[in-house]
Coordinates of all heavy atoms in Angstrom, one line a residue:
I1298 N 0.8 -1.2 0.0 CA 0.0 0.0 0.0 C 0.9 1.2 0.0 O 0.6 2.2 -0.8 CB -1.0 0.0 1.2 CG1 -2.0 -1.1 1.0 CG2 -1.6 1.3 1.4 CD1 -2.9 -1.3 2.2
L1299 N 1.9 1.3 0.8 CA 2.8 2.4 0.9 C 3.5 2.6 -0.5 O 3.6 3.8 -0.9 CB 3.8 2.2 2.0 CG 3.3 2.2 3.4 CD1 4.4 1.8 4.4 CD2 2.7 3.5 3.8
A1300 N 3.9 1.6 -1.2 CA 4.5 1.7 -2.5 C 3.6 2.3 -3.5 O 4.0 3.2 -4.3 CB 5.0 0.4 -3.0
A1301 N 2.3 1.9 -3.5 CA 1.4 2.5 -4.4 C 1.1 4.0 -4.2 O 1.1 4.8 -5.1 CB 0.0 1.7 -4.4
V1302 N 1.0 4.3 -2.9 CA 0.8 5.8 -2.6 C 2.1 6.5 -2.9 O 2.1 7.7 -3.4 CB 0.5 5.9 -1.1 CG1 0.4 7.4 -0.6 CG2 -0.9 5.3 -0.8
Q1303 N 3.3 5.9 -2.6 CA 4.6 6.6 -2.9 C 4.7 7.0 -4.4 O 5.2 8.0 -4.7 CB 5.7 5.7 -2.6 CG 7.1 6.3 -2.8 CD 7.4 7.4 -1.8 OE1 7.6 7.2 -0.6 NE2 7.4 8.6 -2.3
A1304 N 4.2 6.1 -5.3 CA 4.2 6.4 -6.7 C 3.4 7.7 -7.0 O 3.9 8.5 -7.8 CB 3.7 5.2 -7.5
H1305 N 2.3 7.9 -6.4 CA 1.5 9.1 -6.6 C 2.1 10.3 -6.0 O 2.0 11.4 -6.5 CB 0.1 8.9 -6.1 CG -0.8 8.0 -6.9 ND1 -1.4 8.5 -8.0 CD2 -1.1 6.7 -6.8 CE1 -2.1 7.5 -8.6 NE2 -2.0 6.4 -7.9
I1306 N 2.8 10.1 -4.9 CA 3.5 11.2 -4.2 C 4.6 11.7 -5.1 O 4.7 13.0 -5.4 CB 4.1 10.8 -2.9 CG1 3.0 10.6 -1.9 CG2 5.1 11.8 -2.3 CD1 3.4 10.0 -0.5
I1307 N 5.4 10.9 -5.7 CA 6.5 11.3 -6.6 C 6.0 11.9 -7.8 O 6.5 13.0 -8.3 CB 7.4 10.1 -6.9 CG1 8.2 9.6 -5.7 CG2 8.4 10.4 -8.1 CD1 9.0 8.4 -5.8
T1308 N 4.9 11.4 -8.4 CA 4.3 12.0 -9.6 C 3.8 13.4 -9.3 O 4.1 14.4 -10.0 CB 3.1 11.2 -10.0 OG1 3.5 9.9 -10.4 CG2 2.4 11.8 -11.2
Y1309 N 3.2 13.6 -8.1 CA 2.7 15.0 -7.7 C 3.9 15.9 -7.5 O 3.9 17.0 -8.1 CB 1.9 14.9 -6.4 CG 1.7 16.2 -5.8 CD1 0.7 17.1 -6.3 CD2 2.4 16.7 -4.7 CE1 0.4 18.3 -5.7 CE2 2.2 17.9 -4.2 CZ 1.2 18.7 -4.7 OH 1.0 20.0 -4.1
L1310 N 4.9 15.5 -6.8 CA 6.1 16.3 -6.5 C 6.8 16.7 -7.8 O 7.3 17.8 -7.9 CB 7.0 15.7 -5.5 CG 6.4 15.6 -4.1 CD1 7.4 14.8 -3.2 CD2 6.1 16.9 -3.5
L1311 N 7.0 15.8 -8.7 CA 7.7 16.1 -9.9 C 7.0 16.8 -11.0 O 7.5 17.7 -11.7 CB 8.3 14.7 -10.5 CG 9.4 14.1 -9.8 CD1 9.8 12.8 -10.5 CD2 10.6 15.0 -9.8
F1312 N 5.7 16.5 -11.2 CA 5.0 17.0 -12.4 C 3.8 17.9 -12.1 O 3.3 18.5 -13.0 CB 4.6 15.8 -13.2 CG 5.7 14.9 -13.6 CD1 5.7 13.6 -13.1 CD2 6.7 15.3 -14.4 CE1 6.8 12.7 -13.4 CE2 7.8 14.4 -14.7 CZ 7.8 13.2 -14.2
T1313 N 3.3 17.9 -10.9 CA 2.0 18.6 -10.6 C 2.3 19.9 -9.9 O 1.8 21.0 -10.3 CB 1.0 17.8 -9.9 OG1 0.8 16.5 -10.6 CG2 -0.3 18.5 -9.7
R1314 N 3.0 19.9 -8.8 CA 3.1 21.1 -8.0 C 4.0 22.2 -8.7 O 4.9 21.8 -9.5 CB 3.6 20.8 -6.6 CG 5.1 20.8 -6.5 CD 5.5 20.4 -5.1 NE 6.8 19.8 -5.2 CZ 7.9 20.3 -4.5 NH1 7.7 21.2 -3.7 NH2 9.1 19.8 -4.7
E1315 N 3.7 23.4 -8.5 CA 4.4 24.5 -9.1 C 5.6 24.9 -8.2 O 5.5 25.1 -7.1 CB 3.4 25.7 -9.1 CG 2.2 25.5 -10.0 CD 2.5 25.5 -11.4 OE1 3.4 26.2 -11.9 OE2 1.8 24.8 -12.2
T1316 N 6.8 24.8 -8.9 CA 8.0 25.2 -8.2 C 9.0 25.5 -9.3 O 8.9 25.0 -10.4 CB 8.5 24.1 -7.3 OG1 9.7 24.5 -6.6 CG2 8.8 22.8 -8.0
E1317 N 10.0 26.3 -8.9 CA 11.1 26.6 -9.8 C 12.3 25.7 -9.7 O 13.3 25.9 -10.4 CB 11.5 28.1 -9.6 CG 10.4 29.1 -9.8 CD 10.8 30.5 -9.5 OE1 12.0 30.7 -9.1 OE2 10.0 31.4 -9.6
C1318 N 12.3 24.7 -8.9 CA 13.4 23.8 -8.7 C 13.5 22.8 -9.8 O 12.6 22.5 -10.6 CB 13.2 23.0 -7.4 SG 13.0 24.0 -5.9
T1319 N 14.7 22.3 -10.0 CA 14.9 21.2 -10.9 C 14.3 19.9 -10.4 O 13.8 19.9 -9.3 CB 16.4 20.9 -11.1 OG1 17.0 20.4 -9.9 CG2 17.2 22.2 -11.6
H1320 N 14.2 18.9 -11.3 CA 13.5 17.7 -10.9 C 14.1 17.1 -9.6 O 13.3 16.7 -8.7 CB 13.6 16.7 -12.0 CG 12.6 17.0 -13.1 ND1 11.3 17.1 -12.9 CD2 12.8 17.3 -14.4 CE1 10.7 17.4 -14.1 NE2 11.6 17.5 -15.0
L1321 N 15.4 17.0 -9.4 CA 15.9 16.4 -8.2 C 15.7 17.3 -7.0 O 15.3 16.8 -6.0 CB 17.4 16.1 -8.4 CG 18.1 15.4 -7.2 CD1 17.4 14.1 -6.9 CD2 19.6 15.2 -7.5
E1322 N 15.8 18.6 -7.2 CA 15.6 19.5 -6.1 C 14.1 19.5 -5.7 O 13.8 19.7 -4.5 CB 16.0 20.9 -6.5 CG 17.5 21.1 -6.7 CD 17.8 22.5 -7.2 OE1 17.0 23.0 -8.0 OE2 18.9 23.0 -6.9
R1323 N 13.2 19.2 -6.7 CA 11.8 19.1 -6.3 C 11.5 18.1 -5.3 O 10.6 18.2 -4.5 CB 11.0 18.8 -7.6 CG 10.8 19.9 -8.5 CD 10.0 19.5 -9.7 NE 9.8 20.6 -10.6 CZ 8.6 20.9 -11.1 NH1 7.6 20.2 -10.9 NH2 8.5 21.9 -11.9
L1324 N 12.3 17.0 -5.3 CA 12.1 15.9 -4.4 C 12.8 16.2 -3.0 O 12.2 15.8 -2.0 CB 12.6 14.6 -5.0 CG 11.8 14.1 -6.2 CD1 12.5 12.8 -6.7 CD2 10.4 13.9 -5.9
C1325 N 13.9 16.8 -3.1 CA 14.7 16.9 -1.8 C 14.3 18.2 -1.0 O 14.5 18.2 0.2 CB 16.2 17.0 -2.2 SG 16.8 15.5 -2.9
R1326 N 13.8 19.2 -1.7 CA 13.4 20.4 -1.0 C 12.0 20.4 -0.6 O 11.2 21.4 -0.9 CB 13.7 21.6 -1.9 CG 15.2 21.8 -2.1 CD 15.4 23.1 -2.8 NE 16.9 23.3 -3.0 CZ 17.4 24.3 -3.6 NH1 16.6 25.2 -4.1 NH2 18.7 24.4 -3.8
V1327 N 11.5 19.4 0.0 CA 10.1 19.2 0.4 C 10.1 19.5 1.9 O 10.7 18.8 2.7 CB 9.6 17.8 0.1 CG1 8.2 17.6 0.6 CG2 9.7 17.6 -1.4
G1328 N 9.2 20.4 2.3 CA 9.0 20.7 3.7 C 7.8 19.9 4.3 O 7.2 19.1 3.6
R1329 N 7.6 20.0 5.6 CA 6.5 19.3 6.3 C 5.2 19.5 5.6 O 4.4 18.6 5.4 CB 6.5 19.6 7.7 CG 5.6 18.7 8.6 CD 5.8 18.8 10.1 NE 7.2 18.7 10.5 CZ 7.9 17.6 10.6 NH1 7.3 16.5 10.3 NH2 9.1 17.6 11.1
W1330 N 4.8 20.8 5.4 CA 3.5 21.2 4.8 C 3.4 20.5 3.4 O 2.4 20.0 3.1 CB 3.4 22.7 4.7 CG 2.0 23.1 4.2 CD1 0.9 23.2 4.9 CD2 1.7 23.4 2.8 NE1 -0.2 23.5 4.0 CE2 0.3 23.7 2.8 CE3 2.4 23.4 1.6 CZ2 -0.3 24.0 1.6 CZ3 1.8 23.7 0.5 CH2 0.4 24.0 0.5
E1331 N 4.5 20.6 2.6 CA 4.4 20.0 1.3 C 4.3 18.5 1.3 O 3.6 17.9 0.5 CB 5.7 20.4 0.5 CG 5.7 21.9 0.1 CD 7.0 22.3 -0.5 OE1 8.1 22.0 0.1 OE2 7.0 22.8 -1.6
Q1332 N 4.9 17.9 2.3 CA 4.7 16.4 2.5 C 3.3 16.1 2.7 O 2.7 15.2 2.1 CB 5.6 15.9 3.7 CG 7.0 15.9 3.4 CD 7.8 15.5 4.6 OE1 7.4 15.7 5.8 NE2 9.0 15.0 4.4
G1333 N 2.6 16.9 3.6 CA 1.2 16.7 3.8 C 0.3 16.9 2.6 O -0.6 16.1 2.3

């Protein structure tokens, strides 16, 4: 279950949310609010 949800989390962080960061930075520069 966690793996299935993780796939959607990565998709959201890389392709959906608005940010000026590069792809790798989009994943590493995630704060607590963005995690939620």
